Amino acid sequence: MSDKGKAAVAAHKIHAIVKYPDPVLSRPAEKVTEFNADLVELVAEMFESMYAAQGIGLAAPQIGISKQITVIDVSFKERPEDKLVLINPEISERKGKQFEEEGCLSLPDIREKVHRAAAVTVRAQDEFGEFFEVDGDELLARALQHEIDHLHGVLFIDRLSRLKRDLIYRRIRKLQKNGEW
Ligand SMILES: [Zn+2]
């Protein structure tokens, strides 16, 4: 009897997504220094939590863990090779410009265009501590910049004009008042 099939569908804990204005979202996350089985499990839980929330990227602060860990899958389960685990990531190169719409699991139903680099190169570690580099353009470049921002306590609304940001704050306060946030 093989339990391979079982392992593939083994359930991992689904974490609740932390919403703005939880302070964990605006706090710079700590670097990961220990690479162990707990970290491997946490990464698996982050992927499950991201898929459960219909997201293509999730940063650890979004589940209340202030550590420099983020997972991305711009294909949303379509291409296994698109699954990215980025620990202690740093953007080493930025090229060009793009201005496209973004959303965030911590800011449900809010979408705005954000100025970003068109392409980036990121150096990071995987969940086993191995260093690697990844190049991304278009959607992947946006996801990389958006998720790495989270690890520095920056949300995409922080990159909007003052006017747009104030409108969003007002909208959120109204939703909070109505118990819809
Ligand atoms: Zn986000």
Side-chain angles (χ1 to χ4, degrees):
M1 226 175 84
S2 166
D3 60 359
K4 263 190 174 170
K6 272 188 200 159
V9 294
H12 299 283
K13 185 186 171 192
I14 307 278
H15 294 259
I17 307 289
V18 168
K19 268 191 282 186
Y20 171 88
D22 192 300
V24 72
L25 295 171
S26 47
R27 190 184 307 151
E30 279 177 29
K31 280 209 166 177
V32 172
T33 52
E34 272 183 70
F35 294 82
N36 53 28
D38 288 346
L39 179 65
V40 173
E41 175 57 24
L42 177 61
V43 164
E45 291 172 4
M46 285 178 65
F47 273 111
E48 291 297 316
S49 304
M50 176 183 85
Y51 292 135
Q54 304 294 311
I56 57 162
L58 183 72
Q62 293 183 280
I63 54 165
I65 297 171
S66 196
K67 287 189 180 169
Q68 292 191 21
I69 309 165
T70 176
V71 297
I72 293 173
D73 179 1
V74 291
S75 78
F76 197 81
K77 302 190 217 179
E78 285 297 309
R79 291 183 302 270
E81 66 271 25
D82 280 358
K83 283 179 78 172
L84 273 176
V85 177
L86 301 141
I87 296 178
N88 305 327
E90 278 173 30
I91 296 175
S92 53
E93 213 180 327
R94 292 177 171 79
K95 278 184 197 156
K97 286 174 186 173
Q98 59 174 321
F99 185 51
E100 298 295 336
E101 208 171 65
E102 290 182 25
C104 180
L105 295 176
S106 296
L107 291 149
D109 298 326
I110 291 171
R111 300 192 66 83
E112 289 290 340
K113 282 186 156 194
V114 185
H115 291 280
R116 299 284 189 189
V120 289
T121 301
V122 172
R123 184 173 154 78
Q125 283 165 283
D126 65 16
E127 66 268 55
F128 307 104
E130 292 295 319
F131 282 93
F132 68 98
E133 253 188 10
V134 57
D135 295 310
D137 61 7
E138 298 181 4
L139 176 59
L140 179 56
R142 293 201 290 284
L144 288 164
Q145 291 168 89
H146 179 117
E147 299 309 329
I148 291 171
D149 266 358
H150 271 301
L151 304 181
H152 298 289
V154 175
L155 296 172
F156 83 91
I157 54 172
D158 297 325
R159 298 201 174 274
L160 304 176
S161 70
R162 183 74 180 264
L163 180 71
K164 277 210 171 131
R165 210 163 50 225
D166 284 346
L167 284 170
I168 288 170
Y169 290 152
R170 213 175 301 164
R171 197 170 133 197
I172 292 171
R173 274 198 299 274
K174 207 171 166 186
L175 288 166
Q176 283 173 323
K177 225 182 262 175
N178 297 340
E180 291 164 18
W181 183 266

